[in-house]
Amino acid sequence: FKQDDKHEFIKAMMKEVADHEARDNWILMPRSAMPAGTKTILSVWSFKRKRYPDGRVLKHKARLCAHGGMQTWGVNYWETYAPVVNWFSARILMALCILHDLETHSIDFVLAFPHADLDVDIYMELPYGFDFNGSRGYILKLNKNLYGLKDASRTFWMMLKDGLEACGYERQS
């Protein structure tokens, strides 16, 4: 943190952690309560200055991510595939909706991936800059999906698919 606006990123970090805690995305627990033989993964901060088109800073963004590179296939993830639409297809659909005067709707998920529950237990180290009682003897047990996990996209997609099917959308395109 050698930039002049580091205090803005610190505020963004505090907001990110508060948002996760408000949604019960993890449980703070003593390292000694972790099952024997279980490994933790690191937490990683991603920072970005969101800007207006003219270049002025709109806001400072801090995203807490899991270090998915520390996950082991067959232990804490199996499948990673999630279907993705390319922008060309989305733009064509939007153009057709405009040409045929069709109604459209969109949804923006705030902290999208952490809406989905995890299938396996994942333990993560406390994020840099956050201590509990001045001790690093604590870890986080993740309750929800987190950006950076190997199967984060798939976990979110499966939750979204199940929700859409429950609303009556039974066939995927």
Side-chain angles (χ1 to χ4, degrees):
F1 280 124
K2 295 181 180 179
Q3 302 291 318
D4 293 337
D5 57 354
K6 69 180 178 182
H7 62 281
E8 294 296 328
F9 282 114
I10 292 170
K11 283 195 257 182
M13 290 167 67
M14 292 171 66
K15 181 186 181 319
E16 175 80 356
V17 169
D19 288 345
H20 282 291
E21 288 181 343
R23 292 175 170 91
D24 294 323
N25 290 349
W26 56 59
I27 298 169
L28 179 70
M29 60 185 281
R31 186 178 300 277
S32 59
M34 190 171 66
T38 305
K39 294 181 181 178
T40 60
I41 60 174
L42 294 176
S43 54
V44 179
W45 282 109
S46 173
F47 300 104
K48 184 173 186 173
R49 290 176 187 91
K50 300 261 185 164
R51 297 184 182 272
Y52 290 107
D54 65 3
R56 290 179 295 131
V57 175
L58 167 66
K59 69 178 181 176
H60 292 76
K61 181 78 179 159
R63 173 75 71 206
L64 180 61
C65 304
H67 189 317
M70 298 181 75
Q71 288 182 273
T72 306
W73 182 86
V75 175
N76 39 33
Y77 81 96
W78 288 265
E79 294 289 329
T80 59
Y81 173 78
V84 188
V85 66
N86 66 43
W87 278 112
F88 180 76
S89 299
R91 287 186 180 121
I92 289 290
L93 281 173
M94 296 308 295
L96 288 171
C97 288
I98 291 169
L99 289 172
H100 295 286
D101 198 28
L102 299 173
E103 186 177 343
T104 62
H105 296 277
S106 66
I107 299 172
D108 181 20
F109 286 89
V110 176
L111 282 172
F113 284 6
H115 282 273
D117 293 323
L118 290 174
D119 296 334
V120 296
D121 290 339
I122 296 182
Y123 300 90
M124 187 173 79
E125 297 291 335
L126 292 177
Y128 177 79
F130 289 84
D131 278 346
F132 182 74
N133 285 342
S135 170
R136 297 294 286 178
Y138 289 85
I139 58 166
L140 302 174
K141 179 182 182 288
L142 300 180
N143 295 328
K144 300 283 188 174
N145 198 16
L146 200 62
Y147 292 95
L149 294 174
K150 291 272 191 181
D151 59 346
S153 298
R154 179 177 177 80
T155 304
F156 177 74
W157 171 69
M158 294 297 290
M159 182 217 59
L160 184 61
K161 181 174 99 47
D162 292 345
L164 289 171
E165 286 174 353
C167 291
Y169 297 97
E170 296 181 16
R171 202 174 61 181
Q172 297 178 39
S173 60

